[in-house]
Amino acid sequence: VQIVTVSGSLGPASANQAALHLALDHLRTTQPTVVVSPADVSAIPSFRPDQVDVPPEPVATLRAAVGAADGLLLAAPEYAGGVSGVTKNVLDWMVGSASLYRKPIAVLSAGTTGGKYAIEQLVRTLSWHGALVVATLSIEAPATKMSAGRYTDSATIAAVAEWTDELIRAVSSTWETTLAQVTAVVVEYGIDPRRFGEG
Ligand SMILES: Cc1cc2nc3c(=O)[nH]c(=O)nc-3n(C[C@H](O)[C@H](O)[C@H](O)COP(=O)(O)O)c2cc1C
């Protein structure tokens, strides 16, 4: 099983990146056969529709990594009531390649108020890509749950582990099970799960 992690924050002390580190630690100890590859999105240029078919090299590399992955763990901050531009820019580049189509994805947002608008936007945008959002997690006031750049709050550590396990469950399940996970997420946002088709 190959999992790609994507952080929508490029900050050096990112709470979202720290959540992905936690997920990675959890996978290393509980699922040693799972291969986890962090995606480097720092070199992804601003989206250009005229370059969709012949994208810049960092975009081509990212599309290939995402396309080859069995699932994605995506953590992104909320800025001014929406998902970070870094994240949306990356996702816009993925439209032309269909790299996210039917890809199981777990999304989280760590931010002051828990990033619920970022999560809502991610669920909608990813669903429009045809991706399968199988789990969401909101981490409120992350700074109060961290020490020296790592999460120390036991409830948050447990929640990230459960969030990670949901993705592993999805990538190892039947279509029906995965669709049930997706349905449990998307219906809350007014998205009809029938858009994802049948197995
Ligand atoms: C420009 C800017 C806008 C922000 N807007 C929001 C917001 O709308 N909602 C929220 O919960 N937090 C907001 N925050 C706080 C971020 O969620 C918080 O800084 C978070 O830790 C950023 O993620 P990171 O640590 O992974 O970089 C904002 C922060 C910045 C810098």
Side-chain angles (χ1 to χ4, degrees):
V1 172
Q2 293 191 45
I3 302 296
V4 165
T5 63
V6 178
S7 171
S9 169
L10 305 180
S14 164
N16 286 278
Q17 181 68 69
L20 292 175
H21 284 316
L22 196 53
L24 187 62
D25 288 346
H26 175 67
L27 285 173
R28 279 205 186 110
T29 51
T30 60
Q31 307 272 352
T33 59
V34 171
V35 177
V36 186
S37 315
D40 179 11
V41 301
S42 63
I44 301 291
S46 294
F47 178 68
R48 284 188 50 158
D50 57 310
Q51 294 180 352
V52 160
D53 294 334
V54 188
E57 192 277 325
V59 173
T61 301
L62 183 63
R63 281 179 177 176
V66 168
D70 296 297
L72 259 65
L73 294 168
L74 172 59
E78 178 176 294
Y79 293 152
V83 76
S84 70
V86 165
T87 314
K88 186 61 166 62
N89 185 54
V90 165
L91 296 180
D92 288 346
W93 276 115
M94 298 297 128
V95 173
S97 65
S99 318
L100 291 165
Y101 181 72
R102 290 237 172 150
K103 194 73 65 184
I105 304 186
V107 304
L108 72 73
S109 185
T112 311
T113 61
K116 67 175 180 176
Y117 299 113
I119 292 171
E120 178 182 15
Q121 195 181 343
L122 282 169
V123 170
R124 187 170 54 249
T125 295
L126 288 166
S127 296
W128 259 236
H129 279 263
L132 307 170
V133 182
V134 295
T136 63
L137 178 64
S138 164
I139 302 177
E140 204 174 306
T144 66
K145 294 162 179 167
M146 300 173 74
S147 171
R150 297 185 77 86
Y151 283 94
T152 49
D153 174 58
S154 56
T156 305
I157 292 169
V160 170
E162 200 180 313
W163 174 78
T164 309
D165 288 344
E166 280 291 304
L167 180 71
I168 298 301
R169 194 156 81 86
V171 302
S172 344
S173 295
T174 61
W175 170 253
E176 285 71 23
T177 305
T178 305
L179 188 62
Q181 288 176 277
V182 176
T183 301
V185 171
V186 302
V187 162
E188 189 186 328
Y189 299 100
I191 296 167
D192 185 345
R194 282 177 299 187
R195 69 178 295 117
F196 301 107
E198 294 175 6

